[in-house]
Amino acid sequence: ATPQSEKWTAMPCFLLASAVAGAWPWILDKILSLCTRQDFCFTMAAKRFADNYPLTCWTGPAMREAFYRVYKRGHSGAGKFKYGKLGASFAVIVGHVVPFMGAQTTIMQRFFLPHPLDTIISQPFGMTEDLVSMAMAEATSSPILASWSLTALLVFFNLARAFFFSGTKEAEHTEDRALPYLKRISSRNIPSDGSATSSFSERNRDPSQQSLDAIPTHAERDYVALATAIVNILVGVGISFIVAGKLDAKEAFCVVLFQMIIQLVAVPVTLGHLGAHCVHHAEGRTKPPPDT
């Protein structure tokens, strides 16, 4: 059994191991490319195996469906490519989260996210539900550690949303990192006579629309996520003081479970509705008065 003083290392070690696992498909592809002079050899072999093996044949269609759910929201040009990248990331995350899909998703995720940094980062993100399960498992033996682990995990995602995934400029999209799935999707839109262009080509588009797509946009910062992080910290501090008292294992587990419900559901839903109400109220006040 892990000593009580070293239990806090479980989550960091788990995240480190997940990141290493996410790098292996890229490493194997590069090793095979030394002999075959082609990239994605291991990834495509893993994809064919997962598509044909009876116990994993449903993984590919499920990930493709997750991809199309997001991809079809793009219209054309840069917008379509943007949603294509978002859909590819969503498909990999879904593959890691859904039960019995994690192993095959790991070996074939370069089919959707070819860059090694994408696979290394997405692997720990896709294991979030396992981290929550680990925190809840610690609730009976070390409730304070479980409370703080759960708080740290959720606050990290809140802050990532507030500072990294909102309020930043969206650079002009290129297709350099779109191999192999996005380019395969785009090639299906090319007629046999070559009269039309793919989704990545803009030759037949309105020049004014092309210039608009090329302008980097600035997304609005998600202050609701920042407020959620602050409230989650306060909730975690309060729960940690409660579980620090003389509670038995079942009572401590129930308190940490209550904390998870508050931080995962109650806080983001409440602040989300409050933020939407404030935005709607502010937009109403900024509208010009009607002409009389």
Side-chain angles (χ1 to χ4, degrees), residues 160-174:
R161 169 61 184 171
F163 293 107
F164 296 101
F165 298 104
S166 66
T168 57
K169 287 185 178 181
E170 297 176 356
E172 183 179 357
H173 303 288
T174 61

Side-chain angles (χ1 to χ4, degrees), residues 77-79 81-82 85 168-177 200 202 205 209-218:
F81 185 69
K82 171 186 175 182
K85 293 197 299 182
T168 57
K169 287 185 178 181
E170 297 176 356
E172 183 179 357
H173 303 288
T174 61
E175 57 177 303
D176 295 338
R177 294 169 64 177
F200 296 109
E202 301 182 357
R205 298 179 58 211
Q209 184 64 31
Q210 294 181 25
S211 61
L212 290 176
D213 287 339
I215 299 176
T217 58
H218 195 280

